[in-house]
Amino acid sequence: MASVQELRLNFNPRMKVNFKGGDLTSDAGLLLYKEFDHKIGLSEAVKQFLVVDDPVHHRDHPNDDVVVQKIYQHVVGYHTDDHADDLCYEPLLTAMLGKERLASQPTISRFNEKATIATAKSLEKVNEVLQGRVYAIEPRDQFVLDLDSSGFA
């Protein structure tokens, strides 16, 4: 039985959370997002549906890996591409994303240059698929559409 003292994670059973001290990271909350990703298949959906007009085969940082990295960076509060250089060898992110080194700022910027309308539409498809998976876990009879014009000029 898992206790508050120790918890193993489904996406990587070798990784465990404990509250005994030792190696610490300020981004440990990201582990919960990775568990959620594992449950609904976010990374897999990006890999399956992402469309990028890029004939080059990227061995170290494929386009789908760059998108997933960008998502995780945003979740943790690293909103600019420049943060990627600081995070290149961040132990928690590299372990979670299964990389020795994360994509750098120039790699992310090159991806941004290749993104087109087709890329945006493919990400909309990812969103649609994920919504379907979440609603399959816990169906909703209704939803709230909040149209607030106060944010518009």
Side-chain angles (χ1 to χ4, degrees):
M1 175 177 153
S3 71
V4 176
Q5 297 300 320
E6 185 170 297
L7 174 68
R8 292 208 182 271
L9 301 168
N10 291 324
F11 76 90
N12 184 345
R14 293 180 306 156
M15 212 177 253
K16 63 184 175 182
V17 177
N18 71 47
F19 299 90
K20 298 176 187 170
D23 295 334
L24 301 175
T25 178
S26 61
D27 298 327
L30 196 55
L31 292 168
L32 296 174
Y33 286 101
K34 181 62 176 175
E35 277 291 290
F36 184 66
D37 174 345
H38 180 76
K39 176 85 172 174
I40 65 170
L42 168 81
S43 296
E44 302 310 317
V46 169
K47 188 175 291 294
Q48 181 179 359
F49 296 109
L50 182 67
V51 173
V52 181
D53 184 21
D54 183 10
V56 178
H57 171 72
H58 302 281
R59 193 185 79 215
D60 293 333
H61 305 293
N63 292 316
D64 55 302
D65 285 358
V66 173
V67 169
V68 171
Q69 178 182 329
K70 285 182 65 133
I71 291 169
Y72 278 97
Q73 279 186 216
H74 279 286
V75 166
V76 182
Y78 302 110
H79 301 298
T80 67
D81 293 349
D82 286 337
H83 285 125
D85 288 337
D86 298 330
L87 297 171
C88 252
Y89 295 102
E90 203 286 323
L92 180 64
L93 280 169
T94 54
M96 284 178 38
L97 298 175
K99 299 254 189 189
E100 287 185 30
R101 179 180 61 82
L102 299 180
S104 63
Q105 176 273 321
T107 300
I108 292 176
S109 294
R110 282 190 296 274
F111 169 80
N112 292 339
E113 289 296 317
K114 294 178 264 186
T116 63
I117 295 296
T119 306
K121 288 182 186 245
S122 70
L123 292 171
E124 286 178 354
K125 175 68 175 171
V126 169
N127 188 46
E128 181 183 313
V129 166
L130 294 177
Q131 283 180 339
R133 291 176 184 172
V134 169
Y135 293 147
I137 294 169
E138 188 169 329
R140 296 288 177 197
D141 295 331
Q142 58 184 337
F143 65 93
V144 175
L145 182 60
D146 183 8
L147 300 175
D148 184 0
S149 63
S150 65
F152 295 104

